[in-house]
Every structure is written in structure tokens, then in C-alpha cells.
């Protein structure tokens, strides 16, 4: 007769332990979280007129750069549009670490 596997519940215990470890991590632990709208706003304000220099490093197409220039006269708005375009392009990989 085929032998039946005996479940010990060890797998469930390991999952519970992993969940507890994640809950107890200190807030200082660096996580690779997607960039927030607030972070984009802050960075865009600091970036200002330098936005166009950053664009090629973010692999933004020339056509998108021209569109950003047409959409707004304000350099801070252009910087924000650049970062939002990059965020859209990168999806879940649009993190502060990657930026």
C-alpha cells in the first residue's frame, strides 16, 4: 500500500516565523520601495533647471523630452514630468535606490 506522508506542521511554523521577523524589523532597515509622489515632488523642486541633463540617464526618449518642454514653461513642472515619465517607464522598479 502507498505510504502516507505525515504532516508535522513545520512548514506552517516557518511561515509564521518569517512573518514575525518581518513585523519586528526596525524602521531603519532600508527597503526597495517604489518612489512616492511626495518624493518625486521634493526631488523635482531640487532638480529644477537640471532636469534636462538627467533625462538621458533615466533613458527618457528625445520625443518625451520635447513633449515635456511643450507641456510646461515652469522648470519645476518639467522636472516633475520627467520623473513621472521615468516612474511610468520603470513601474515597480521606480525606487529611490534606482533613481
Amino acid at each position: 500500500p502507498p505510504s502516507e506522508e505525515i504532516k508535522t506542521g513545520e512548514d506552517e511554523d516557518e511561515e509564521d516565523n518569517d512573518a514575525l521577523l518581518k513585523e519586528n524589523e526596525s524602521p531603519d532597515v532600508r527597503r526597495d520601495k517604489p518612489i512616492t509622489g511626495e518624493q518625486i515632488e521634493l526631488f523635482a523642486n531640487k532638480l529644477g533647471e537640471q532636469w534636462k541633463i538627467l533625462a538621458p540617464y533615466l533613458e527618457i526618449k528625445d520625443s518625451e523630452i520635447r513633449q515635456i518642454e511643450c507641456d510646461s514653461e515652469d522648470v519645476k513642472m518639467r522636472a516633475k514630468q520627467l520623473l513621472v515619465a521615468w516612474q511610468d517607464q520603470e513601474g515597480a522598479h521606480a525606487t529611490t535606490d534606482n533613481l
Side-chain angles (χ1 to χ4, degrees), residues 80-93:
K80 184 176 178 181
Q81 287 177 311
L82 171 75
L83 294 172
V84 169
W86 171 77
Q87 183 182 37
D88 291 345
Q89 176 181 293
E90 295 297 309
H93 298 287

Side-chain angles (χ1 to χ4, degrees), residues 22-71:
K22 288 176 185 172
E23 285 175 13
N24 292 326
E25 285 179 353
S26 73
D28 297 332
V29 174
R30 185 123 177 120
R31 294 196 178 103
D32 210 19
K33 291 184 177 179
I35 195 166
T36 66
E38 185 179 317
Q39 289 170 319
I40 285 177
E41 191 78 36
L42 290 170
F43 192 68
N45 288 336
K46 290 181 180 181
L47 190 57
E49 293 181 19
Q50 306 298 314
W51 74 271
K52 202 169 179 182
I53 296 169
L54 180 62
Y57 294 99
L58 299 180
E59 297 178 0
I60 301 297
K61 298 175 186 171
D62 289 339
S63 60
E64 285 185 83
I65 294 169
R66 286 192 297 276
Q67 185 63 48
I68 290 169
E69 289 177 312
C70 290
D71 286 347

